[in-house]
Each structure stands twice: as structure tokens, then as C-alpha cells.
Amino acid sequence: MYLIREVFQAKPGRAKDLVKMFKAAAPHFAKMGDMNNMRVMTDVVSTYWTVIVESETDNIAGFFSNMRSATMSDELKDIMKGYMDCVEGGRREMFLIE
């Protein structure tokens, strides 16, 4: 099992918009499979305006395949509209759960 952590640095004051988008998108990602136990978190004592989306998968290839196909979904495009206006940068972390 792998833990995938997407760490986003939001633009000042835009973290709440990212959280809203990811929470709305979560059911769509869950339906696709290969993204389990998705949760959205915000910083408490970290760099300001940090938003983290975590999920688990048994199948890394399936995870990336689903991420690519998700970007083609009209429904997810509508949910994530304005995403780039909210983000300054970020990174992806992947961990093997022992």
C-alpha cells in the first residue's frame, strides 16, 4: 500500500478555495478507484496557506492513469475551474506503508 501526499502552496487567501475544490472532487476520484481514503488538510503550524491532499493506493500505475483520465472529465474540469489561480506551487510525496 502506498500513501500519496499532494502538497500545494496556495496563493495568500486562496487555500479555502482549493479545499472547496478538492472536497467537491473527492467523490469523483473515489469512483475511479485506485484513490482510497482521500482527505484534505490545511496547515496549523506550517508554511501559511498549505493544503495537502492525501490518498492511498495499492496500484501506483492505476493511480497515475486515473489522474490523467480525471483531467479529461468535464465534470471535474468544472469543479477544478480556477485551480491555477489558487496555486503558487507544490510537490507530490509518495510513501510505502510498511
Coordinates of all heavy atoms in Angstrom, one line a residue:
M1 N 0.9 -1.2 0.0 CA 0.0 0.0 0.0 C 0.9 1.2 0.0 O 1.9 1.3 0.7 CB -0.9 0.0 1.2 CG -1.8 1.2 1.4 SD -3.2 1.3 0.3 CE -4.2 -0.1 1.0
Y2 N 0.5 2.2 -0.8 CA 1.2 3.5 -0.9 C 0.4 4.7 -0.4 O -0.8 4.7 -0.6 CB 1.6 3.8 -2.3 CG 2.6 2.7 -2.9 CD1 2.1 1.6 -3.5 CD2 4.0 2.9 -2.7 CE1 3.0 0.6 -4.0 CE2 4.8 2.0 -3.2 CZ 4.4 0.8 -3.8 OH 5.2 -0.1 -4.3
L3 N 1.0 5.6 0.3 CA 0.4 6.9 0.7 C 0.9 7.9 -0.3 O 2.1 8.1 -0.5 CB 0.8 7.2 2.1 CG 0.3 8.6 2.6 CD1 -1.2 8.6 2.8 CD2 1.0 9.0 3.8
I4 N 0.0 8.6 -0.9 CA 0.4 9.7 -1.8 C -0.1 11.0 -1.2 O -1.3 11.2 -0.8 CB -0.3 9.5 -3.2 CG1 0.3 8.2 -3.8 CG2 0.0 10.7 -4.1 CD1 -0.7 7.4 -4.5
R5 N 0.8 11.9 -1.1 CA 0.6 13.2 -0.5 C 0.9 14.3 -1.5 O 2.0 14.4 -2.0 CB 1.4 13.4 0.8 CG 1.2 14.7 1.5 CD 2.0 14.8 2.7 NE 1.6 13.8 3.7 CZ 2.4 13.2 4.6 NH1 3.6 13.5 4.7 NH2 1.9 12.4 5.5
E6 N -0.2 15.0 -1.9 CA 0.0 16.2 -2.8 C 0.0 17.4 -1.9 O -1.0 17.7 -1.2 CB -1.2 16.3 -3.7 CG -1.6 15.0 -4.4 CD -0.8 14.7 -5.7 OE1 0.0 15.6 -6.1 OE2 -1.0 13.6 -6.2
V7 N 1.1 18.1 -1.9 CA 1.3 19.3 -1.1 C 1.2 20.6 -2.0 O 2.0 20.7 -2.9 CB 2.6 19.3 -0.3 CG1 2.8 20.5 0.6 CG2 2.8 18.0 0.5
F8 N 0.2 21.4 -1.7 CA 0.0 22.6 -2.5 C 0.3 23.8 -1.7 O -0.1 23.9 -0.5 CB -1.4 22.7 -3.0 CG -1.8 21.5 -3.9 CD1 -2.4 20.4 -3.3 CD2 -1.6 21.6 -5.2 CE1 -2.8 19.3 -4.1 CE2 -2.0 20.5 -6.0 CZ -2.6 19.4 -5.5
Q9 N 1.0 24.8 -2.3 CA 1.2 26.1 -1.7 C 0.2 27.0 -2.4 O 0.4 27.4 -3.5 CB 2.7 26.6 -1.8 CG 3.0 27.7 -1.0 CD 2.8 27.4 0.5 OE1 3.3 26.4 1.0 NE2 2.1 28.3 1.2
A10 N -0.8 27.4 -1.6 CA -1.8 28.3 -2.2 C -1.4 29.7 -2.2 O -0.5 30.1 -1.4 CB -3.1 28.1 -1.4
K11 N -1.9 30.5 -3.1 CA -1.7 31.9 -3.0 C -2.4 32.5 -1.8 O -3.3 31.9 -1.3 CB -2.3 32.6 -4.3 CG -1.5 32.2 -5.5 CD -2.1 32.8 -6.8 CE -1.3 32.4 -8.0 NZ -1.9 32.9 -9.2
P12 N -1.9 33.6 -1.2 CA -2.4 34.1 0.0 C -3.9 34.3 -0.1 O -4.5 34.9 -1.1 CB -1.7 35.5 0.2 CG -0.4 35.3 -0.5 CD -0.7 34.4 -1.7
G13 N -4.6 33.8 0.9 CA -6.1 33.8 1.0 C -6.8 32.9 0.1 O -8.1 32.9 0.1
R14 N -6.2 32.0 -0.6 CA -6.9 31.1 -1.6 C -6.9 29.7 -1.2 O -7.5 28.8 -1.9 CB -6.2 31.2 -3.0 CG -6.1 32.6 -3.6 CD -7.5 33.2 -3.9 NE -8.4 32.4 -4.7 CZ -8.6 32.5 -6.0 NH1 -7.9 33.4 -6.7 NH2 -9.4 31.7 -6.6
A15 N -6.4 29.4 0.0 CA -6.4 28.0 0.5 C -7.8 27.5 0.6 O -8.1 26.3 0.3 CB -5.7 27.8 1.8
K16 N -8.7 28.3 1.1 CA -10.1 27.8 1.3 C -10.8 27.5 0.0 O -11.6 26.6 -0.1 CB -10.9 28.9 2.0 CG -11.1 30.2 1.3 CD -11.9 31.2 2.1 CE -12.0 32.5 1.4 NZ -10.8 33.2 1.0
D17 N -10.4 28.2 -1.1 CA -10.9 27.8 -2.4 C -10.4 26.5 -2.9 O -11.2 25.7 -3.5 CB -10.5 28.9 -3.4 CG -11.1 30.3 -3.1 OD1 -12.2 30.4 -2.5 OD2 -10.4 31.3 -3.3
L18 N -9.1 26.2 -2.7 CA -8.6 24.9 -3.0 C -9.2 23.8 -2.2 O -9.6 22.7 -2.8 CB -7.1 24.9 -2.7 CG -6.1 25.3 -3.8 CD1 -4.7 25.2 -3.3 CD2 -6.3 24.5 -5.1
V19 N -9.4 24.0 -0.9 CA -10.1 23.0 -0.1 C -11.5 22.7 -0.6 O -11.9 21.5 -0.8 CB -10.2 23.5 1.4 CG1 -11.1 22.6 2.2 CG2 -8.8 23.5 2.0
K20 N -12.2 23.7 -1.0 CA -13.6 23.5 -1.5 C -13.5 22.7 -2.8 O -14.3 21.8 -3.0 CB -14.2 24.9 -1.8 CG -15.6 24.8 -2.3 CD -16.2 26.2 -2.5 CE -17.6 26.2 -3.0 NZ -18.1 27.5 -3.3
M21 N -12.6 23.0 -3.7 CA -12.4 22.2 -4.9 C -12.1 20.8 -4.7 O -12.8 19.9 -5.3 CB -11.3 22.8 -5.8 CG -11.6 24.1 -6.4 SD -10.2 24.7 -7.4 CE -10.6 26.5 -7.5
F22 N -11.1 20.5 -3.8 CA -10.7 19.1 -3.6 C -11.8 18.3 -2.9 O -12.0 17.2 -3.2 CB -9.4 19.1 -2.8 CG -8.2 19.5 -3.6 CD1 -7.3 20.5 -3.0 CD2 -8.0 19.0 -4.8 CE1 -6.2 20.9 -3.8 CE2 -6.9 19.4 -5.5 CZ -6.0 20.3 -5.0
K23 N -12.5 19.0 -2.0 CA -13.6 18.3 -1.3 C -14.7 17.9 -2.3 O -15.3 16.8 -2.2 CB -14.2 19.1 -0.1 CG -13.2 19.1 1.1 CD -13.7 19.9 2.2 CE -13.9 19.1 3.4 NZ -14.5 19.8 4.5
A24 N -15.0 18.8 -3.2 CA -16.0 18.5 -4.2 C -15.6 17.5 -5.2 O -16.4 16.7 -5.7 CB -16.4 19.8 -5.0
A25 N -14.3 17.4 -5.5 CA -13.7 16.4 -6.4 C -13.5 15.0 -5.8 O -13.5 14.0 -6.5 CB -12.4 16.9 -6.9
A26 N -13.4 15.0 -4.5 CA -13.1 13.7 -3.8 C -14.1 12.5 -4.2 O -13.6 11.4 -4.5 CB -13.1 13.9 -2.3
P27 N -15.4 12.7 -4.2 CA -16.2 11.6 -4.6 C -16.0 11.1 -6.1 O -16.1 9.9 -6.3 CB -17.7 12.2 -4.5 CG -17.6 13.3 -3.6 CD -16.2 13.9 -3.8
H28 N -15.6 12.0 -6.9 CA -15.3 11.6 -8.3 C -14.0 10.8 -8.4 O -13.9 9.8 -9.1 CB -15.1 12.9 -9.2 CG -16.4 13.7 -9.2 ND1 -17.5 13.4 -10.0 CD2 -16.7 14.8 -8.5 CE1 -18.4 14.2 -9.8 NE2 -18.0 15.1 -8.9
F29 N -13.0 11.2 -7.6 CA -11.8 10.4 -7.6 C -12.0 9.0 -6.9 O -11.5 8.0 -7.4 CB -10.7 11.1 -6.8 CG -10.1 12.3 -7.6 CD1 -10.2 13.6 -7.1 CD2 -9.4 12.1 -8.8 CE1 -9.6 14.6 -7.8 CE2 -8.9 13.1 -9.5 CZ -9.0 14.4 -9.0
A30 N -12.9 9.0 -5.9 CA -13.2 7.7 -5.2 C -13.8 6.7 -6.2 O -13.5 5.5 -6.2 CB -14.0 8.0 -4.0
K31 N -14.7 7.2 -7.1 CA -15.4 6.4 -8.0 C -14.4 5.8 -9.0 O -14.7 4.7 -9.6 CB -16.4 7.2 -8.8 CG -17.7 7.4 -8.1 CD -18.8 7.9 -9.0 CE -18.7 9.4 -9.0 NZ -19.8 10.1 -9.8
M32 N -13.3 6.5 -9.3 CA -12.4 6.0 -10.3 C -11.6 4.8 -9.8 O -10.9 4.1 -10.6 CB -11.4 7.1 -10.7 CG -12.1 8.2 -11.4 SD -10.9 9.5 -11.6 CE -11.4 10.1 -13.2
G33 N -11.5 4.6 -8.5 CA -10.7 3.5 -7.9 C -9.3 3.9 -7.8 O -8.9 5.0 -8.3
D34 N -8.4 3.2 -7.2 CA -7.0 3.4 -7.0 C -6.7 4.7 -6.3 O -5.6 5.2 -6.3 CB -6.3 3.4 -8.4 CG -6.3 2.1 -9.0 OD1 -6.1 1.1 -8.3 OD2 -6.5 2.0 -10.2
M35 N -7.7 5.4 -5.7 CA -7.5 6.5 -4.8 C -8.4 6.3 -3.6 O -9.6 6.7 -3.7 CB -7.8 7.8 -5.5 CG -6.8 8.3 -6.4 SD -7.1 9.9 -7.1 CE -6.7 11.0 -5.7
N36 N -7.9 5.7 -2.5 CA -8.7 5.4 -1.4 C -8.4 6.3 -0.2 O -7.3 6.9 -0.1 CB -8.4 3.9 -1.0 CG -8.7 3.0 -2.1 OD1 -9.7 3.0 -2.8 ND2 -7.7 2.1 -2.4
N37 N -9.4 6.5 0.7 CA -9.2 7.2 1.9 C -8.7 8.6 1.7 O -7.8 9.1 2.4 CB -8.2 6.5 2.9 CG -8.7 5.1 3.2 OD1 -9.9 4.9 3.4 ND2 -7.8 4.1 3.3
M38 N -9.2 9.3 0.7 CA -8.8 10.6 0.4 C -9.2 11.6 1.5 O -10.3 11.5 2.0 CB -9.4 11.1 -1.0 CG -8.9 12.4 -1.4 SD -9.5 12.8 -3.1 CE -9.2 14.5 -3.2
R39 N -8.2 12.5 1.9 CA -8.6 13.5 2.8 C -7.8 14.8 2.5 O -6.8 14.8 1.9 CB -8.3 13.0 4.3 CG -6.9 12.7 4.5 CD -6.7 12.2 5.9 NE -5.4 11.7 6.1 CZ -5.1 10.8 7.0 NH1 -6.0 10.3 7.8 NH2 -3.8 10.4 7.1
V40 N -8.4 15.9 2.9 CA -7.9 17.2 2.6 C -7.5 17.8 4.0 O -8.3 17.8 4.9 CB -8.9 18.1 1.9 CG1 -8.4 19.5 1.6 CG2 -9.4 17.4 0.6
M41 N -6.3 18.4 4.0 CA -5.8 19.0 5.3 C -5.3 20.4 5.0 O -4.8 20.7 3.9 CB -4.7 18.1 5.9 CG -5.2 16.7 6.2 SD -3.9 15.6 6.7 CE -3.1 15.3 5.2
T42 N -5.3 21.3 6.0 CA -4.7 22.6 5.9 C -3.7 22.7 7.0 O -3.8 22.0 8.0 CB -5.7 23.7 5.9 OG1 -6.5 23.6 7.1 CG2 -6.6 23.7 4.7
D43 N -2.8 23.7 6.8 CA -1.7 23.9 7.8 C -2.2 24.4 9.1 O -3.2 25.1 9.2 CB -0.6 24.8 7.3 CG -1.2 26.2 7.0 OD1 -1.8 26.4 6.0 OD2 -1.0 27.1 7.9
V44 N -1.6 24.1 10.2 CA -1.8 24.6 11.5 C -0.5 25.4 12.0 O -0.6 26.5 12.4 CB -2.2 23.6 12.5 CG1 -2.4 24.2 13.9 CG2 -3.5 22.9 12.1
V45 N 0.6 24.7 11.8 CA 1.9 25.3 12.1 C 2.9 24.9 11.0 O 3.8 24.2 11.2 CB 2.4 24.8 13.5 CG1 1.6 25.4 14.6 CG2 2.4 23.3 13.6
S46 N 2.6 25.4 9.9 CA 3.4 25.2 8.7 C 3.5 26.4 7.9 O 3.2 27.5 8.4 CB 2.8 24.1 7.9 OG 3.6 23.8 6.7
T47 N 4.0 26.3 6.7 CA 4.0 27.5 5.8 C 2.6 27.9 5.6 O 1.7 27.1 5.3 CB 4.7 27.1 4.5 OG1 6.0 26.5 4.7 CG2 4.8 28.3 3.6
Y48 N 2.3 29.2 5.7 CA 0.9 29.6 5.5 C 0.3 29.2 4.2 O 1.0 29.1 3.2 CB 0.9 31.2 5.6 CG 1.2 31.7 6.9 CD1 2.3 32.6 7.0 CD2 0.5 31.4 8.1 CE1 2.6 33.2 8.3 CE2 0.8 31.9 9.3 CZ 1.9 32.8 9.4 OH 2.2 33.3 10.6
W49 N -1.0 28.9 4.2 CA -1.8 28.6 3.0 C -1.3 27.3 2.4 O -1.3 27.2 1.1 CB -1.8 29.8 2.0 CG -2.2 31.0 2.6 CD1 -3.5 31.3 3.1 CD2 -1.5 32.2 2.8 NE1 -3.5 32.5 3.7 CE2 -2.3 33.2 3.5 CE3 -0.2 32.6 2.5 CZ2 -1.9 34.4 3.8 CZ3 0.2 33.9 2.8 CH2 -0.6 34.8 3.5
T50 N -0.9 26.3 3.2 CA -0.6 25.0 2.7 C -1.8 24.1 2.7 O -2.5 24.0 3.7 CB 0.5 24.4 3.5 OG1 1.7 25.2 3.5 CG2 0.9 23.0 3.0
V51 N -2.1 23.4 1.6 CA -3.2 22.5 1.5 C -2.6 21.2 1.1 O -1.8 21.1 0.1 CB -4.2 23.0 0.5 CG1 -5.4 21.9 0.3 CG2 -4.8 24.3 0.8
I52 N -3.0 20.1 1.8 CA -2.5 18.8 1.5 C -3.6 17.8 1.2 O -4.6 17.8 1.9 CB -1.6 18.2 2.7 CG1 -0.4 19.1 2.9 CG2 -1.2 16.8 2.4 CD1 0.3 18.8 4.2
V53 N -3.5 17.1 0.1 CA -4.5 16.1 -0.2 C -3.8 14.7 -0.2 O -2.8 14.5 -0.9 CB -5.0 16.3 -1.7 CG1 -6.0 15.2 -2.0 CG2 -5.7 17.7 -1.8
E54 N -4.3 13.9 0.7 CA -3.7 12.5 0.9 C -4.6 11.5 0.4 O -5.8 11.6 0.5 CB -3.4 12.2 2.3 CG -2.1 12.8 2.9 CD -1.8 12.3 4.3 OE1 -2.6 11.6 4.9 OE2 -0.7 12.6 4.7
S55 N -4.1 10.4 -0.2 CA -4.9 9.3 -0.6 C -4.0 8.1 -0.5 O -2.7 8.2 -0.4 CB -5.5 9.4 -2.0 OG -4.5 9.6 -2.9
E56 N -4.6 6.9 -0.6 CA -3.8 5.6 -0.6 C -4.2 4.8 -1.8 O -5.2 5.0 -2.4 CB -4.2 4.8 0.7 CG -3.9 5.5 2.0 CD -4.4 4.7 3.2 OE1 -5.0 3.7 3.0 OE2 -4.2 5.2 4.3
T57 N -3.2 4.0 -2.2 CA -3.4 3.2 -3.4 C -2.6 1.9 -3.3 O -1.5 1.9 -2.7 CB -3.1 3.9 -4.7 OG1 -3.5 3.1 -5.8 CG2 -1.6 4.2 -4.8
D58 N -3.1 0.8 -3.8 CA -2.3 -0.4 -4.0 C -1.6 -0.4 -5.3 O -0.7 -1.2 -5.5 CB -3.2 -1.6 -3.9 CG -3.7 -1.9 -2.5 OD1 -2.9 -1.7 -1.5 OD2 -4.9 -2.2 -2.3
N59 N -2.0 0.4 -6.2 CA -1.6 0.4 -7.6 C -1.1 1.7 -8.1 O -1.9 2.6 -8.5 CB -2.8 -0.1 -8.5 CG -2.5 -0.3 -9.9 OD1 -1.4 0.1 -10.4 ND2 -3.4 -0.8 -10.7
I60 N 0.2 2.0 -8.1 CA 0.7 3.3 -8.5 C 0.4 3.6 -10.0 O 0.0 4.7 -10.3 CB 2.2 3.3 -8.2 CG1 2.5 3.2 -6.8 CG2 2.9 4.5 -8.9 CD1 3.0 4.3 -6.1
A61 N 0.5 2.6 -10.8 CA 0.2 2.8 -12.2 C -1.2 3.2 -12.4 O -1.5 4.1 -13.2 CB 0.6 1.6 -13.1
G62 N -2.1 2.5 -11.7 CA -3.5 2.8 -11.8 C -3.8 4.2 -11.3 O -4.6 5.0 -11.8
F63 N -3.1 4.6 -10.2 CA -3.3 6.0 -9.7 C -2.9 7.0 -10.7 O -3.7 8.0 -11.0 CB -2.3 6.2 -8.5 CG -2.2 7.6 -8.0 CD1 -3.2 8.1 -7.1 CD2 -1.2 8.4 -8.4 CE1 -3.1 9.4 -6.7 CE2 -1.1 9.7 -7.9 CZ -2.1 10.2 -7.1
F64 N -1.8 6.9 -11.4 CA -1.4 7.9 -12.4 C -2.3 7.8 -13.6 O -2.6 8.9 -14.2 CB 0.1 7.7 -12.8 CG 1.0 8.2 -11.8 CD1 1.8 7.3 -11.1 CD2 1.1 9.6 -11.5 CE1 2.7 7.8 -10.1 CE2 2.0 10.0 -10.6 CZ 2.8 9.2 -9.9
S65 N -2.7 6.6 -14.0 CA -3.7 6.5 -15.1 C -5.0 7.2 -14.8 O -5.5 7.9 -15.7 CB -3.9 5.0 -15.4 OG -4.9 4.9 -16.4
N66 N -5.5 7.0 -13.6 CA -6.7 7.7 -13.2 C -6.6 9.2 -13.1 O -7.5 10.0 -13.4 CB -7.2 7.2 -11.8 CG -7.8 5.8 -12.0 OD1 -8.3 5.4 -13.1 ND2 -7.9 5.0 -10.9
M67 N -5.4 9.7 -12.7 CA -5.2 11.1 -12.6 C -5.2 11.7 -14.0 O -5.8 12.8 -14.2 CB -3.8 11.4 -12.0 CG -3.8 11.2 -10.5 SD -4.9 12.2 -9.5 CE -4.1 13.7 -9.6
R68 N -4.6 11.0 -15.0 CA -4.7 11.5 -16.4 C -6.1 11.5 -16.9 O -6.5 12.5 -17.6 CB -3.8 10.7 -17.3 CG -2.3 11.1 -17.2 CD -1.5 10.4 -18.3 NE -1.3 8.9 -18.0 CZ -0.4 8.4 -17.2 NH1 0.4 9.2 -16.5 NH2 -0.4 7.1 -17.1
S69 N -6.8 10.5 -16.7 CA -8.2 10.4 -17.2 C -9.1 11.4 -16.5 O -10.0 11.9 -17.1 CB -8.8 9.0 -17.2 OG -8.9 8.6 -15.9
A70 N -8.8 11.7 -15.2 CA -9.6 12.7 -14.5 C -9.6 14.0 -15.1 O -10.5 14.8 -15.1 CB -9.2 12.7 -13.0
T71 N -8.4 14.4 -15.6 CA -8.3 15.7 -16.2 C -9.1 15.9 -17.5 O -9.3 17.0 -17.9 CB -6.8 16.1 -16.5 OG1 -6.3 15.1 -17.4 CG2 -6.0 16.0 -15.2
M72 N -9.6 14.8 -18.0 CA -10.4 14.8 -19.2 C -11.9 14.9 -18.9 O -12.7 15.1 -19.8 CB -10.1 13.6 -20.1 CG -8.7 13.6 -20.7 SD -8.5 12.2 -21.7 CE -6.8 11.8 -21.3
S73 N -12.2 14.7 -17.7 CA -13.6 14.6 -17.3 C -14.2 16.1 -17.2 O -13.7 16.9 -16.6 CB -13.8 14.0 -15.9 OG -15.0 14.4 -15.3
D74 N -15.3 16.3 -18.0 CA -15.9 17.6 -18.0 C -16.4 18.0 -16.6 O -16.3 19.2 -16.2 CB -17.1 17.6 -19.0 CG -16.6 17.6 -20.4 OD1 -15.5 18.0 -20.7 OD2 -17.4 17.2 -21.3
E75 N -16.9 17.0 -15.9 CA -17.4 17.3 -14.5 C -16.3 17.8 -13.6 O -16.4 18.8 -12.9 CB -18.1 16.1 -13.9 CG -19.0 16.3 -12.8 CD -19.9 15.1 -12.4 OE1 -19.7 14.1 -13.0 OE2 -20.7 15.3 -11.5
L76 N -15.2 17.1 -13.6 CA -14.0 17.5 -12.8 C -13.4 18.8 -13.3 O -12.9 19.6 -12.5 CB -13.0 16.4 -12.8 CG -13.3 15.3 -11.7 CD1 -12.3 14.2 -11.8 CD2 -13.3 15.9 -10.3
K77 N -13.4 19.1 -14.6 CA -13.0 20.3 -15.1 C -13.8 21.5 -14.5 O -13.2 22.5 -14.2 CB -13.0 20.4 -16.7 CG -11.9 19.6 -17.3 CD -12.1 19.7 -18.8 CE -11.1 18.8 -19.5 NZ -11.3 18.8 -21.0
D78 N -15.1 21.3 -14.4 CA -15.9 22.3 -13.9 C -15.6 22.6 -12.4 O -15.5 23.7 -11.9 CB -17.4 22.0 -14.0 CG -17.9 22.1 -15.5 OD1 -17.3 22.9 -16.2 OD2 -19.0 21.6 -15.8
I79 N -15.4 21.5 -11.6 CA -15.1 21.6 -10.2 C -13.8 22.3 -10.0 O -13.7 23.1 -9.1 CB -15.1 20.2 -9.6 CG1 -16.5 19.6 -9.5 CG2 -14.5 20.2 -8.2 CD1 -16.6 18.1 -9.1
M80 N -12.8 21.9 -10.8 CA -11.5 22.5 -10.6 C -11.2 23.8 -11.4 O -10.1 24.3 -11.4 CB -10.4 21.4 -11.0 CG -10.5 20.1 -10.2 SD -10.4 20.4 -8.4 CE -8.7 20.8 -8.3
K81 N -12.2 24.3 -12.0 CA -12.1 25.6 -12.7 C -11.5 26.7 -11.8 O -12.0 26.9 -10.7 CB -13.4 26.0 -13.3 CG -13.3 27.2 -14.2 CD -14.7 27.5 -14.8 CE -14.5 28.6 -15.8 NZ -15.8 28.9 -16.5
G82 N -10.4 27.3 -12.2 CA -9.8 28.3 -11.4 C -8.7 27.8 -10.5 O -8.1 28.6 -9.7
Y83 N -8.4 26.5 -10.6 CA -7.4 25.9 -9.8 C -6.0 26.6 -9.9 O -5.4 26.9 -8.9 CB -7.2 24.4 -10.2 CG -6.0 23.7 -9.9 CD1 -5.8 23.2 -8.6 CD2 -4.9 23.6 -10.7 CE1 -4.6 22.6 -8.2 CE2 -3.7 23.0 -10.4 CZ -3.6 22.5 -9.1 OH -2.4 21.9 -8.8
M84 N -5.6 26.9 -11.1 CA -4.3 27.6 -11.3 C -4.3 29.0 -10.7 O -3.2 29.5 -10.4 CB -3.9 27.6 -12.8 CG -3.6 26.2 -13.3 SD -2.3 25.3 -12.4 CE -0.9 26.3 -12.7
D85 N -5.4 29.6 -10.6 CA -5.4 30.9 -9.9 C -5.2 30.9 -8.4 O -5.0 31.9 -7.8 CB -6.8 31.6 -10.2 CG -7.0 31.8 -11.7 OD1 -6.0 32.1 -12.4 OD2 -8.2 31.8 -12.1
C86 N -5.3 29.7 -7.9 CA -5.2 29.5 -6.4 C -3.8 29.0 -6.0 O -3.5 29.1 -4.8 CB -6.2 28.4 -5.9 SG -7.9 28.9 -6.2
V87 N -3.0 28.5 -6.9 CA -1.8 27.7 -6.5 C -0.6 28.5 -6.9 O -0.5 29.0 -8.1 CB -1.8 26.3 -7.2 CG1 -0.5 25.6 -7.0 CG2 -3.0 25.5 -6.7
E88 N 0.4 28.5 -6.0 CA 1.7 29.1 -6.3 C 2.7 28.0 -6.7 O 3.6 28.2 -7.5 CB 2.3 29.9 -5.1 CG 1.6 31.2 -4.9 CD 2.3 32.0 -3.8 OE1 3.1 31.5 -3.0 OE2 2.0 33.2 -3.8
G89 N 2.5 26.8 -6.1 CA 3.4 25.7 -6.3 C 3.1 24.5 -5.5 O 2.1 24.5 -4.8
G90 N 3.9 23.5 -5.6 CA 3.6 22.3 -4.8 C 4.5 21.1 -5.1 O 5.5 21.3 -5.9
R91 N 4.2 20.0 -4.6 CA 5.0 18.8 -4.8 C 4.2 17.6 -4.5 O 3.1 17.7 -3.8 CB 6.3 18.8 -4.0 CG 6.0 18.7 -2.5 CD 7.3 18.8 -1.7 NE 7.1 18.5 -0.3 CZ 6.6 19.4 0.6 NH1 6.4 20.7 0.2 NH2 6.5 19.1 1.9
R92 N 4.6 16.4 -4.9 CA 4.0 15.2 -4.6 C 5.0 14.3 -3.8 O 6.2 14.2 -4.2 CB 3.6 14.5 -5.9 CG 3.0 13.1 -5.7 CD 2.6 12.4 -7.0 NE 1.4 13.1 -7.5 CZ 1.3 13.4 -8.8 NH1 2.2 13.1 -9.7 NH2 0.2 14.0 -9.2
E93 N 4.5 13.7 -2.8 CA 5.3 12.8 -2.0 C 4.6 11.4 -2.0 O 3.4 11.3 -1.9 CB 5.4 13.3 -0.5 CG 6.0 14.7 -0.4 CD 5.8 15.2 1.1 OE1 5.1 14.6 1.9 OE2 6.5 16.2 1.3
M94 N 5.4 10.4 -2.1 CA 4.9 9.0 -2.2 C 5.6 8.2 -1.2 O 6.9 8.2 -1.1 CB 5.0 8.4 -3.6 CG 4.3 9.3 -4.6 SD 4.4 8.6 -6.2 CE 3.0 7.6 -6.3
F95 N 4.9 7.4 -0.3 CA 5.5 6.6 0.7 C 4.9 5.2 0.6 O 3.7 5.0 0.4 CB 5.1 7.2 2.1 CG 5.5 8.6 2.3 CD1 4.7 9.7 2.0 CD2 6.8 8.9 2.7 CE1 5.0 11.0 2.2 CE2 7.2 10.2 2.9 CZ 6.3 11.3 2.7
L96 N 5.8 4.2 0.9 CA 5.4 2.9 1.0 C 4.9 2.7 2.5 O 5.7 3.0 3.4 CB 6.5 1.9 0.7 CG 6.3 0.4 0.9 CD1 5.2 -0.1 0.0 CD2 7.6 -0.4 0.7
I97 N 3.7 2.2 2.7 CA 3.2 2.0 4.0 C 3.7 0.6 4.4 O 3.4 -0.4 3.8 CB 1.7 2.0 4.1 CG1 1.2 3.5 3.7 CG2 1.2 1.7 5.5 CD1 -0.3 3.6 3.6
E98 N 4.6 0.6 5.4 CA 5.2 -0.7 5.9 C 4.3 -1.5 6.8 O 3.5 -0.9 7.6 CB 6.5 -0.4 6.6 CG 7.5 0.4 5.7 CD 8.2 -0.5 4.7 OE1 8.1 -1.7 4.7 OE2 8.8 0.1 3.8

